[in-house]
Amino acid sequence: MGGGMGGGMGGGRRGGMGQRPNGGQPMMTEEQLDGPPTPEMMHQLLSMEDGQVAAYKERYDSLMNETRPERDSARVALKGMRDAFTAGDRESARAGGGIVRRLSDDLGNRDAAFDKSLKTILTRDQQKQYDKWKDQNRKDAEDRQREEMRGRAGGAGRSRGGGGGSGGVPTF
């Protein structure tokens, strides 16, 4: 398991593969599907004490065991959606997008609840550092996702004013 992040934020223009219509939340990135950072990663990131690492590991293991089937299903659906889009099958890509959205909404909510539970483990400074890291990680992952989708669409996913609809990245 990598060290993704739970829950995406923001949205902006309409019509991107990673973004929902009308400025809603983007779909989860591959990194976010991996879930929260591993205990080892958190220990390195925040210089956690042994007791903090043990408490984090217990919560992390529980979350990952509970959500593994959803994460696996979301990965398969995301790959199918991308493959359909690449093959020019917009209808299948849209259908796959609906599945990915439902799974990513649930996973995002569960990951956000997990993050909220960390307030009892982390110090204020560690929480601030973690929040800053999450924000940067999310931005980087969404940027990579947008670039990947632009490449798959031959650059047609770039913003076009009112965006969405014709050619390029499917609008869900």
Side-chain angles (χ1 to χ4, degrees):
M1 304 272 146
M5 285 298 330
M9 299 182 136
R13 74 178 206 281
R14 178 184 165 151
M17 172 73 86
Q19 296 182 341
R20 295 195 178 172
N22 304 321
Q25 289 188 338
M27 285 187 217
M28 288 185 114
T29 63
E30 293 285 341
E31 291 86 352
Q32 290 166 331
L33 284 175
D34 286 341
T38 63
E40 297 79 18
M41 189 177 196
M42 281 294 278
H43 179 64
Q44 290 176 349
L45 179 68
L46 302 178
S47 301
M48 295 167 69
E49 296 180 13
D50 291 343
Q52 290 176 302
V53 174
Y56 181 87
K57 182 178 180 351
E58 183 178 323
R59 291 180 192 190
Y60 174 86
D61 288 346
S62 177
L63 174 74
M64 296 309 288
N65 286 330
E66 290 171 9
T67 61
R68 182 163 284 109
E70 287 174 291
R71 291 182 196 283
D72 292 345
S73 294
R75 265 189 204 87
V76 169
L78 185 59
K79 181 182 182 325
M81 179 186 71
R82 288 179 174 163
D83 290 348
F85 177 69
T86 300
D89 185 353
R90 294 172 58 101
E91 188 174 321
S92 293
R94 281 191 187 104
I99 294 166
V100 171
R101 265 193 300 281
R102 284 189 298 279
L103 290 167
S104 67
D105 283 348
D106 184 56
L107 288 169
N109 289 337
R110 293 176 82 172
D111 288 352
F114 172 84
D115 281 350
K116 187 175 181 181
S117 79
L118 298 181
K119 293 179 192 250
T120 62
I121 296 174
L122 303 177
T123 66
R124 275 193 183 146
D125 287 342
Q126 287 172 327
Q127 186 69 52
K128 285 180 187 176
Q129 188 177 355
Y130 178 56
D131 289 343
K132 185 177 178 182
W133 178 85
K134 281 190 318 185
D135 262 0
Q136 188 60 51
N137 190 51
R138 176 191 50 80
K139 288 175 188 173
D140 292 347
E142 289 174 0
D143 287 347
R144 283 190 303 273
Q145 186 180 49
R146 270 191 296 279
E147 287 305 313
E148 178 184 324
M149 291 295 95
R150 285 182 184 145
R152 289 177 190 260
R158 290 183 175 85
S159 179
R160 298 179 220 186
S166 65
V169 181
T171 301
F172 296 101

